[in-house]
């Protein structure tokens, strides 16, 4: 392999740490605005996440406390999306990324442009990576499974698709668009998607349990 590309969420760090950070900020916002106990609000949202997933969690918590309006729900979402997250790369991930720094390293990640930028900044990934592609900067049509950002990396590095390995965690979208083009795909079995099994065309060429296992494919 000549080039290594990583997904971000649940690949290089545990995305739930970002969610916890965001909930803390939203709970603080609600507490200041309505004098509702911050700890209780935070606990309520976290419990709701476990039982119902993300969905309309800010609408739900505001309704639970009898303070819902569409305006305040939008304010909560804005607080969540624009906050500076209290997250960090695991030590072993940082050590591993530094150990493979002789390779050109990239990130391709979907999601809200501000949210993903704040994550990348908080995790200290900009100085480590040659470039971090937030797909939504190029229009939602170029989000995964679109190969748009991957073919851009291929041209930039002047390599063939088989010279690029992509490490991701979500078989619903991470590999299906680039695998037929010859990119090497590796699925890391971490995060919220680790128990999902998909048809062969959606699955990666190989699987690893930890990021450090990637060294066996380089």
């Amino acid at each position: 392999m000549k080039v290594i590309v990583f997904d971000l969420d649940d690949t290089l760090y545990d995305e739930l740490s970002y969610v916890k950070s965001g909930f803390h900020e939203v709970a603080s916002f609600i507490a200041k605005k309505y004098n509702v106990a911050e700890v209780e609000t935070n606990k309520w949202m976290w419990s709701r996440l476990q039982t119902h997933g993300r969905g309309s969690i800010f609408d739900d918590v505001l309704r639970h406390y009898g303070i819902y309006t569409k305006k305040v729900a939008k304010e909560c979402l804005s607080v969540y999306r624009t906050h500076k997250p209290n997250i960090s790369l695991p030590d072993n991930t940082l050590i591993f990324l530094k150990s493979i720094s002789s390779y050109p390293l990239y990130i391709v990640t979907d999601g809200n442009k501000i949210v993903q930028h704040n994550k990348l900044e908080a995790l200290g990934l900009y100085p480590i990576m040659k470039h971090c592609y937030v797909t939504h900067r190029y229009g939602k049509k170029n989000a995964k499974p679109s190969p748009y950002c991957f073919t851009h990396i291929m041209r930039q590095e002047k390599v063939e698709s088989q010279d690029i390995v992509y490490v991701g965690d979500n078989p619903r979208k991470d590999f299906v668009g680039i695998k037929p083009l010859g990119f090497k795909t590796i699925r890391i079995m971490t995060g919220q998607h680790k128990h999902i099994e998909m048809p062969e065309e959606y699955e990666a060429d190989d699987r690893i349990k930890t990021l450090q296992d990637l060294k066996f494919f380089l």
Side-chain angles (χ1 to χ4, degrees):
M1 290 301 142
K2 296 178 182 176
V3 181
I4 307 171
V5 186
F6 296 97
D7 174 46
L8 178 61
D9 298 306
D10 285 331
T11 296
L12 294 181
Y13 83 109
D14 180 1
E15 197 202 356
L16 283 178
S17 65
Y18 174 82
V19 176
K20 282 181 183 176
S21 174
F23 281 3
H24 176 76
E25 291 297 318
V26 171
S28 175
F29 166 76
I30 293 172
K32 287 169 186 166
K33 195 173 180 77
Y34 291 105
N35 198 28
V36 177
E38 183 178 331
V39 173
E40 292 307 313
T41 310
N42 208 347
K43 276 186 183 174
W44 194 94
M45 287 190 289
W46 190 250
S47 174
R48 188 73 164 186
L49 179 71
Q50 312 305 313
T51 55
H52 291 75
R54 294 186 201 185
S56 55
I57 204 157
F58 301 139
D59 294 26
D60 294 344
V61 71
L62 293 171
R63 286 194 173 101
H64 175 75
Y65 288 103
I67 50 177
Y68 173 82
T69 69
K70 190 178 280 191
K71 180 176 180 289
V72 177
K74 280 186 177 178
E75 287 173 345
C76 287
L77 183 60
S78 178
V79 167
Y80 182 85
R81 284 182 169 172
T82 60
H83 89 283
K84 301 296 183 184
N86 179 23
I87 56 176
S88 59
L89 282 181
D91 289 342
N92 57 353
T93 297
L94 183 57
I95 291 166
F96 179 71
L97 289 176
K98 287 180 176 177
S99 78
I100 58 170
S101 60
S102 58
Y103 290 89
L105 305 179
Y106 289 85
I107 283 176
V108 174
T109 178
D110 290 343
N112 179 279
K113 291 176 279 190
I114 296 168
V115 170
Q116 297 309 96
H117 165 71
N118 287 343
K119 289 175 183 175
L120 291 163
E121 197 166 59
L123 293 167
L125 283 165
Y126 282 120
I128 297 172
M129 299 291 159
K130 191 163 180 181
H131 191 75
C132 299
Y133 286 93
V134 178
T135 60
H136 287 206
R137 286 178 180 152
Y138 309 95
K140 288 189 178 180
K141 69 180 186 297
N142 292 317
K144 293 177 282 185
S146 166
Y148 178 85
C149 289
F150 298 93
T151 54
H152 197 83
I153 293 169
M154 187 173 70
R155 288 193 298 272
Q156 187 170 319
E157 290 294 332
K158 297 181 173 61
V159 296
E160 299 300 319
S161 59
Q162 61 265 27
D163 297 321
I164 299 177
V165 61
Y166 181 60
V167 184
D169 70 295
N170 186 352
R172 288 194 175 104
K173 63 176 182 175
D174 279 344
F175 317 115
V176 66
I178 60 173
K179 193 176 164 185
L181 302 179
F183 290 83
K184 176 74 175 169
T185 53
I186 296 179
R187 179 180 173 188
I188 186 165
M189 304 304 289
T190 52
Q192 60 190 312
H193 304 294
K194 62 186 174 187
H195 300 300
I196 294 171
E197 295 292 336
M198 295 288 287
E200 187 180 350
E201 64 267 28
Y202 285 85
E203 287 288 355
D205 299 311
D206 292 290
R207 293 183 176 190
I208 54 176
K209 289 183 179 178
T210 70
L211 203 60
Q212 291 70 24
D213 293 337
L214 180 61
K215 64 180 180 285
F216 298 114
F217 295 92
L218 301 179

